[in-house]
Amino acid sequence: MLREPFREFYNIFSRKERLREYRKNGRKIIGTICNNVPEEIIHSLGGVPVRLIGEYENTPLANSKAPSWMCSYARGVLEGGLSGDFDFVDGIVGATTDDTKLHLFSAYRFYVKPSFSYMVQFPYVNDELSFEFFTKELRRFAEKLSSFLSTNFIDERLEKSIDVYNEFRELCEKLEELRRDDAPKITASEWMSLMLASNAMLKEDFNSMVSARLDELKEMDGMKDYRLRIHLSGTDFYHLGLLNLLGECGAVVVSDDLCTSAGYYSGFVEGTDIESLAKRYMGCTACVMTAHPGKLSVEERLNFIWQRIDESGAEAIVILKDRGCEVCGHQCPWIVMESELPVLVLDLDFPLSVEQYRTRIEAFIEAHGGG
Amino acid sequence: MNDIQASEQVWNPLGYKELYRDLFKRHLTRQEHLLSKKRPVGWFFSFHPSELIYVFDVVSAFPEQYSAYCAARGSSVDLIDTSIAKGYSHFLCDYFKTTVGSIVEPEKATKPLMPKPDFIVDSRALCVGHHEMAEVFAKYYGVPRYTVNYPYWTPDSLKNVDELTKEAEWAEELYVEYTTKRLHGLIEFMESVAGEMDEDKFKEVFKKSEKTSRLLVEILNMMMAKPTPGSQREIGDLVFIAFFVLGSDYAYEFCHRAYQLIKDRVKRGEGVSDEKHRLLTFGIMPWHSLSLYEYCEKLGATFPVNLYVNASVHLVDSSKPFESMVRRSMHFTNATYDMLDSVVRAAKKADIDAALLLENTGCRITSMIIRPLADTLREELGVQSLILEAPQCDARAMPLERAKTQIEAFLESLS
C-alpha cells in the first residue's frame, strides 16, 4: 500500500539497519519507552535516542511475564526485549507517565537487563516549584547518562541537539500541511511510516532525508475522492493495517493526537538550555499527566485536540482505544461527551482483526461522510 | 470428598471482629458528627497521609474503601458494568469502575453512599491510576483537586528499605525535597478548603500516628511467628487502619487491643489452624470472596506474610512528620523490581514454603509485578507460587469454587 518514498522510510523502521550501523560506528543506542522522554539530552551526549516499538502480531514471551491484557505497546516492547530483537539497545529510559510504562520499565530492567536505565520523574503539576524540580531532574538524568556514555554534558552540545529536534518539529509541521490540504497528499499509513522512521534513526538523518524529498512530496497527487476528513485520537498506536482500512473505507486522516505522532513532535523548545527543555516537556498538552494548577490534564488534552481539529478541518473523530491502555480507558468517554463532531470509538484488541472493524468504519462514514 | 477436604480443621481466628465493629462504629460516628457540622468532605486514596484528615477535621471518603464495601455487599458488579457502559475501559482499576458506577447510577450502589466531595487529593505514591481517576471524579463534581507527586523509586534513588517499616538506608534528596514541598503545598491547599491548621493538633495527631504505626509493625512482625497466629480475614482489614484512619484515636485504640491479642496468642504458641504450609500472599484482596483465606487456613495453609498489608504500613516518626509522609511511598510496589530483595528477606524471616499471588485484573501495579515476584521467590528461595486471577471487586473472573480447586491442587503438589 505504501508508495515511494514512504516505503523507504518504513523499511528504515522495520529493518533497523541504521541503528545497527550507528552502533557499529561506536554509538550507544538508548531506547525510550515514552514520547515524553527528552531525547535532546540523549542526543547531545552522543547517544542515539530510539523510541522502542515492537511490531508483533502475537506476544507470547511478553504474555508469559506480564498480564495479556496489558496495552499492546508495552507487550510489543517487552516481546522485543525478551526475544532478543532489541539486542542493539544499550540502555532504556522511561518516564513516570502511566502505570504500564512504570512497570514496563521495571520488567524490561528485570528480565532484559540493559546496561543502562533511567526513569525520568515527571511532575504532574505545571507550576514554578515543579518546573524547578524538573529542571534539576533533567540535569540528574544528564549526569547519569553522561557517566554511562563516558562523556561530559556540555551546554553547547545541548543547544545543537535542540536545534536538530526543532528542525524535525518544523519539518513535521510542513508535512502536516500536506496532509491537511483540501486534497491531502499523504495517506494515514504513509504518515505513520514517516513517524516510525523518525523514531528509528538519528533526527539529523531523518531531517536530511525528508528535506531532500519535500519538493517531491509536495508534487504528489492529492486525494480528492475521500468522503470524510478525520482526526485520529489515541496513544501509542502504529498499526498500518488499520490505517489502510480507514483509507479504503473513504476516510482521510488529517490530524491526530497520537503519542507516536502529534503527541510526540508538537511543541518547540523555546530556548537553548535545559530549562527550556524542561518547559517544553512539562507543557506537552497531548500528555495525560501534567496540568496547570487548578486545571485538569484531560481538559488540556481536549483543548489540544479541538485546536488540531480546527486547524485541519477534520469533520469527525475516530478514537483508537487500545483495550489495555489506561489513558484511553479513563479519557475516551470525555472526548465522546465533549466533542461537537461525530465520534467513532474502536476498541482495539491485539492481534488486530482488521476486517472486523470494516463494517463499523463503513457505517460511520456512510452516516457522516459526504459524496 | 478428597483428602484435602477431609482434613479440614478447626479455625481459630484472633478475635479482631469485635474490635473492627467498634472501630467502624466510631469512625462512622465521627463522620456523621462532622457532616452535621458542615465540615468539608474530601476524597482521598490509599497512601495519602491520613493524619491530615484528623488535623483538619474534615470528612474523609476513600473510593477504594467504599468500592471494597460494595464488593463485599455484592453491588460492585452492577456498578462496574455501569461504568463500562459509559465508555470506561474494562481493564481499569475495579475501584475506579465501581466508584464511577456509584456516581452515575447511585441507586445501584450499596448505602450509605460516599458523601459528595468538596475537594479531592490524589497522589502517585502507589499508582498513576489514582491521579487518572481523581481527574475523572474532579471533572464529574467540578471540585478542586490537589496532587502530591511521589517518585517511582529506582536503585539509584533508594537503598536498603525495610519491608515493614519502610526505613531506608538512603533516599535521593532531590526527590525527598520535592515531595516534601508538595506536601507542604497540600497543607496550604487543605487550609484553603478547611481553615487554618492548628500546629499543636498537627503534633498531637502525628504522635498518635507514630504510636499506632509501631503497633501495626509489631502485629505484622508477630504474624510471622510459628505457627501463624492469625487469619488473613482479620489481618487483611488492617489496611483500613494503615491507609485510611491512621492518626485517629480509634485506630490507636484498635491497634493497642489487637496487639495484646496477637501477643498473647504468640506467647501461648497457638496458631490459627493446624499449620501445614506457610504461604506468602500478595495482591489486593478479593473483597467479594474473603472466605477463601479462611478456606485455605482450614486446610492448614496459613499466611504469615501478606505483602499487600505490609505495603500499607510504615513507621511514623512524629519528630519528622514530612519525612514520614514521604516514607509511605517506599514500598516495593512503588519501585523497580530490585526492591524485591526486601521481600525475599521478609520471606526468609517468615520461613515460607509457598506463595499465593493474586493478579488483580485492571490493576497494573499489582498485576505486572506478580510474575517477577514469583520468579524471584523461585530463584532465590526455591519457593513455588500459585497465581490466581482475582479482580478485587468483580467476582465473575474468580468463581470461588474454581479458586478453591486450584488451591487444593497446589497444596497437594506441595505435600
Side-chain angles (χ1 to χ4, degrees):
Chain A
M1 293 289 287
L2 294 174
R3 298 172 292 176
E4 288 299 343
F6 304 105
R7 167 60 58 188
E8 187 186 353
F9 280 102
Y10 183 73
N11 287 343
I12 288 171
F13 161 72
S14 64
R15 293 177 185 163
K16 313 278 188 275
E17 283 162 356
R18 292 224 176 200
L19 298 176
R20 294 184 199 282
E21 204 178 302
Y22 296 139
R23 200 158 184 259
K24 210 170 147 189
N25 292 333
R27 305 285 290 263
K28 298 272 190 206
I29 310 294
I30 306 297
T32 66
I33 54 174
C34 177
N35 55 308
N36 288 310
V37 170
E39 292 182 18
E40 290 90 334
I41 291 176
I42 302 169
H43 186 269
S44 75
L45 291 167
V48 180
V50 175
R51 179 75 193 275
L52 294 185
I53 292 175
E55 217 193 2
Y56 304 98
E57 282 296 313
N58 288 299
T59 54
L61 298 173
N63 292 354
S64 72
K65 297 298 180 192
S68 57
W69 46 264
M70 204 168 75
C71 77
S72 60
Y73 171 73
R75 280 186 285 141
V77 172
L78 201 51
E79 188 75 13
L82 293 168
S83 65
D85 289 350
F86 289 166
D87 59 358
F88 55 85
V89 175
D90 296 292
I92 61 159
V93 183
T96 55
T97 43
D98 70 38
D99 287 325
T100 307
K101 292 203 173 92
L102 290 178
H103 281 264
L104 170 61
F105 176 81
S106 290
Y108 199 98
R109 286 187 76 248
F110 186 81
Y111 288 115
V112 187
K113 300 183 177 21
S115 304
F116 173 81
S117 65
Y118 193 88
M119 173 61 81
V120 178
Q121 309 281 344
F122 251 80
Y124 298 157
V125 186
N126 195 344
D127 62 5
E128 196 52 37
L129 171 70
S130 301
F131 170 70
E132 278 173 27
F133 162 75
F134 194 52
T135 304
K136 287 180 187 167
E137 168 64 358
L138 294 189
R139 283 194 195 286
R140 185 178 188 272
F141 167 46
E143 275 169 28
K144 301 277 183 195
L145 184 60
S146 61
S147 166
F148 172 68
L149 296 173
S150 306
T151 184
N152 290 321
F153 180 74
I154 299 168
D155 289 339
E156 289 74 28
R157 281 204 212 142
L158 179 64
E159 190 178 339
K160 279 186 188 161
S161 296
I162 288 173
D163 284 345
V164 169
Y165 272 74
N166 274 345
E167 188 189 340
F168 162 69
R169 292 171 184 127
E170 206 176 318
L171 275 172
C172 288
E173 285 195 348
K174 283 181 184 165
L175 290 169
E176 222 172 348
E177 284 170 23
L178 301 182
R179 75 163 171 168
R180 283 178 182 170
D181 201 284
D182 287 344
K185 297 182 192 307
I186 305 177
T187 68
S189 54
E190 289 170 349
W191 177 267
M192 189 52 70
S193 69
L194 289 171
M195 294 295 107
L196 291 172
S198 79
N199 278 293
M201 63 202 293
L202 280 165
K203 285 290 183 288
E204 54 268 42
D205 291 346
F206 179 82
N207 293 348
S208 302
M209 267 186 85
V210 170
S211 299
R213 286 162 176 79
L214 203 54
D215 289 338
E216 179 192 344
L217 293 173
K218 283 178 185 169
E219 294 306 315
M220 290 183 93
D221 289 336
M223 290 167 279
K224 293 175 183 160
D225 56 349
Y226 62 85
R227 296 183 60 195
L228 190 64
R229 294 168 70 85
I230 62 167
H231 172 92
L232 269 190
S233 185
T235 47
D236 297 300
F237 180 84
Y238 50 90
H239 196 282
L240 297 195
L242 190 63
L243 298 176
N244 281 330
L245 181 63
L246 285 167
E248 285 168 26
C249 295
V252 63
V253 175
V254 291
S255 75
D256 71 72
D257 57 90
L258 304 175
C259 299
T260 42
S261 176
Y264 172 58
Y265 63 76
S266 296
F268 288 84
V269 179
E270 308 283 352
T272 58
D273 51 14
I274 208 154
E275 284 81 4
S276 316
L277 209 56
K279 198 172 177 187
R280 188 266 171 191
Y281 280 91
M282 278 181 68
C284 287
T285 48
C287 169
V288 61
M289 300 318 319
T290 306
H292 290 85
K295 302 274 184 194
L296 299 177
S297 55
V298 63
E299 288 167 348
E300 296 195 357
R301 182 173 186 199
L302 288 173
N303 288 335
F304 178 76
I305 293 172
W306 309 151
Q307 188 192 338
R308 296 189 66 73
I309 285 172
D310 277 349
E311 289 165 358
S312 65
E315 301 159 311
I317 300 174
V318 173
I319 300 179
L320 304 172
K321 186 179 165 202
D322 187 313
R323 70 170 189 151
C325 173
E326 64 201 83
V327 178
C328 296
H330 286 96
Q331 294 195 341
C332 176
W334 295 97
I335 300 174
V336 176
M337 278 190 274
E338 306 209 351
S339 171
E340 290 174 0
L341 298 180
V343 183
L344 172 67
V345 180
L346 296 177
D347 276 300
L348 304 183
D349 197 357
F350 292 85
L352 207 60
S353 302
V354 169
E355 287 306 314
Q356 288 192 6
Y357 298 99
R358 184 182 294 276
T359 314
R360 295 188 60 202
I361 296 170
E362 281 176 348
F364 183 70
I365 292 173
E366 192 62 38
H368 303 289
Chain B
M1 189 182 285
N2 64 32
D3 288 346
I4 284 185
Q5 283 171 325
S7 68
E8 276 198 14
Q9 309 155 8
V10 174
W11 184 60
N12 185 24
L14 286 160
Y16 284 4
K17 201 172 173 183
E18 286 304 314
L19 305 187
Y20 279 118
R21 195 171 289 156
D22 182 47
L23 175 87
F24 293 134
K25 199 174 157 190
R26 291 180 64 184
H27 178 64
L28 289 174
T29 304
R30 172 193 182 268
Q31 302 279 86
E32 282 162 16
H33 173 67
L34 292 176
L35 279 170
S36 72
K37 286 172 68 182
K38 309 270 186 228
R39 292 295 296 157
V41 176
W43 280 20
F44 306 92
F45 300 87
S46 54
F47 295 95
H48 168 76
S50 55
E51 293 91 347
L52 299 182
I53 291 164
Y54 299 94
V55 171
F56 282 96
D57 273 337
V58 293
V59 181
S60 61
F62 287 85
E64 292 148 296
Q65 192 244 331
Y66 173 71
S67 301
Y69 172 58
C70 288
R73 296 298 175 98
S75 70
S76 57
V77 168
D78 277 351
L79 299 173
I80 287 169
D81 286 350
T82 297
S83 134
I84 293 170
K86 289 296 286 181
Y88 297 100
S89 288
H90 173 69
F91 293 106
L92 293 179
C93 172
D94 273 6
Y95 293 147
F96 169 73
K97 289 178 290 184
T98 303
T99 305
V100 165
S102 75
I103 294 170
V104 176
E105 295 190 308
E107 64 279 8
K108 287 185 178 174
T110 304
K111 311 295 181 297
L113 295 168
M114 284 188 290
K116 287 181 183 171
D118 297 302
F119 66 96
I120 296 175
V121 178
D122 76 72
S123 68
R124 209 216 52 73
L126 173 68
C127 60
V128 186
H130 285 161
H131 183 56
E132 289 165 328
M133 64 180 85
E135 288 236 325
V136 173
F137 301 151
K139 197 152 170 60
Y140 269 119
Y141 289 111
V143 296
R145 177 198 58 150
Y146 187 87
T147 303
V148 184
N149 262 95
Y150 291 86
Y152 183 71
W153 298 105
T154 52
D156 67 8
S157 60
L158 188 66
K159 296 212 187 302
N160 287 338
V161 181
D162 182 84
E163 207 265 324
L164 271 177
T165 65
K166 315 296 185 285
E167 288 174 308
E169 186 183 305
W170 173 81
E172 169 62 68
E173 186 53 36
L174 173 64
Y175 299 164
V176 174
E177 186 190 13
Y178 173 62
T179 310
T180 301
K181 285 179 179 170
R182 290 296 302 163
L183 287 164
H184 279 287
L186 172 60
I187 287 175
E188 284 172 27
F189 173 79
M190 295 282 284
E191 286 185 321
S192 74
V193 291
E196 202 177 335
M197 187 176 82
D198 180 336
E199 293 284 347
D200 291 337
K201 195 165 186 181
F202 181 86
K203 286 176 191 159
E204 180 199 323
V205 168
F206 271 90
K207 274 184 187 157
K208 215 172 299 162
S209 176
E210 178 178 328
K211 287 196 291 181
T212 311
S213 74
R214 286 187 189 284
L215 291 169
L216 281 168
V217 167
E218 277 311 305
I219 290 168
L220 295 177
N221 257 323
M222 281 192 280
M223 269 298 284
M224 291 192 265
K226 281 188 176 179
T228 304
S231 166
Q232 283 302 326
R233 288 216 63 168
E234 306 170 297
I235 295 299
D237 278 336
L238 289 180
V239 297
F240 176 78
I241 295 165
F243 279 147
F244 307 137
V245 297
L246 190 67
S248 66
D249 290 329
Y250 43 87
Y252 172 69
E253 283 155 32
F254 173 97
C255 287
H256 185 66
R257 292 159 71 190
Y259 170 78
Q260 286 303 331
L261 284 174
I262 195 168
K263 192 178 165 194
D264 292 346
R265 172 70 66 91
V266 171
K267 203 172 170 184
R268 291 197 301 273
E270 281 177 20
V272 65
S273 61
D274 183 11
E275 188 166 278
K276 293 189 179 71
H277 304 290
R278 291 168 65 81
L279 270 56
L280 173 148
T281 186
F282 175 63
I284 303 174
M285 302 176 80
W287 302 109
H288 43 80
S289 304
L290 289 177
S291 61
L292 191 66
Y293 294 99
E294 183 180 331
Y295 181 77
C296 292
E297 287 157 1
K298 284 180 174 171
L299 294 174
T302 64
F303 300 95
V305 180
N306 182 339
L307 296 176
Y308 166 64
V309 178
N310 288 7
S312 74
V313 306
H314 70 299
L315 194 60
V316 176
D317 178 349
S318 57
S319 68
K320 296 173 184 166
F322 287 93
E323 200 177 286
S324 300
M325 287 188 251
V326 177
R327 191 179 297 148
R328 259 185 193 255
S329 69
M330 295 175 182
H331 48 92
F332 82 100
T333 48
N334 183 40
T336 50
Y337 304 158
D338 313 78
M339 220 164 124
L340 286 171
D341 63 354
S342 67
V343 172
V344 170
R345 286 196 294 272
K348 266 186 192 166
K349 187 177 166 189
D351 195 20
I352 62 149
D353 41 41
L356 174 65
L357 308 178
L358 305 173
E359 181 182 310
N360 306 123
T361 320
C363 174
R364 285 143 186 88
I365 298 298
T366 54
S367 298
M368 286 178 76
I369 204 169
I370 288 281
R371 286 162 181 86
L373 172 59
D375 288 345
T376 301
L377 291 172
R378 189 183 61 249
E379 284 162 20
E380 300 281 326
L381 303 171
V383 160
Q384 297 299 322
S385 300
L386 172 66
I387 299 176
L388 290 183
E389 186 184 1
Q392 65 264 35
C393 297
D394 193 343
R396 289 170 295 191
M398 184 199 171
L400 197 53
E401 289 310 312
R402 187 169 74 192
K404 284 179 179 175
T405 309
Q406 288 172 305
I407 287 170
E408 284 169 16
F410 180 62
L411 294 179
E412 278 216 6
S413 76
L414 294 175
S415 302

